[in-house]
Amino acid sequence: QVQVVESGGGLVQPGGSLRLSCVASGSIFRINDMGWYRQAPGKERELVASITSGGSTNYADSVKGRFTISRDNAKNTVYLQMNSLKPEDTAVYFCKTYIILRTSLGSLYWGRGTQVTVSS
């Protein structure tokens, strides 16, 4: 009923930028919180940034000042602008959303992830 799909990952040099997008589609009534998580090899998945339906944001200390999360509610889309990328930002980036369906049921949905590699 619902699909969550990330895009925008790739290979970038240190100091470079990438913009990730995550689109939710299906029988959606409303999307509450949306967020980006990442998981590096051998490490646990961690929160990168989140944004509420009202636009309040939260960031991991490691990305503050470099990453910006935003959303377009009309397009059911959340973005992650990543600047000044570092090798330690290399990870698979996942989108997480809390979606209220037209049936009034709410649930968490994850995308399958997009690889970000920062390397010279």
Side-chain angles (χ1 to χ4, degrees):
Q1 280 187 315
V2 172
Q3 280 192 317
V4 177
V5 180
E6 304 96 336
S7 62
L11 173 64
V12 63
Q13 291 186 342
S17 298
L18 282 175
R19 189 192 195 206
L20 305 184
S21 299
C22 169
V23 181
S25 61
S27 300
I28 297 170
F29 174 69
R30 184 179 72 245
I31 301 178
N32 290 350
D33 290 1
M34 306 181 84
W36 288 96
Y37 287 69
R38 66 187 181 187
Q39 187 166 20
K43 295 188 176 181
E44 294 189 353
R45 194 172 296 189
E46 62 176 1
L47 172 69
V48 177
S50 64
I51 185 168
T52 68
S53 57
S56 296
T57 59
N58 180 51
Y59 295 93
D61 287 343
S62 60
V63 307
K64 283 181 180 177
R66 300 188 297 123
F67 291 10
T68 302
I69 189 170
S70 61
R71 63 189 286 171
D72 184 332
N73 291 330
K75 296 182 178 179
N76 292 335
T77 300
V78 62
Y79 305 98
L80 186 68
Q81 178 66 45
M82 306 186 294
N83 299 328
S84 302
L85 282 161
K86 304 175 181 180
E88 51 263 44
D89 295 317
T90 295
V92 179
Y93 284 69
F94 297 90
C95 176
K96 186 178 87 169
T97 64
Y98 189 85
I99 297 174
I100 309 296
L101 303 178
R102 296 188 188 280
T103 59
S104 300
L105 295 175
S107 185
L108 284 172
Y109 292 87
W110 288 87
R112 294 186 176 183
T114 184
Q115 176 71 46
V116 172
T117 302
V118 185
S119 175
S120 55

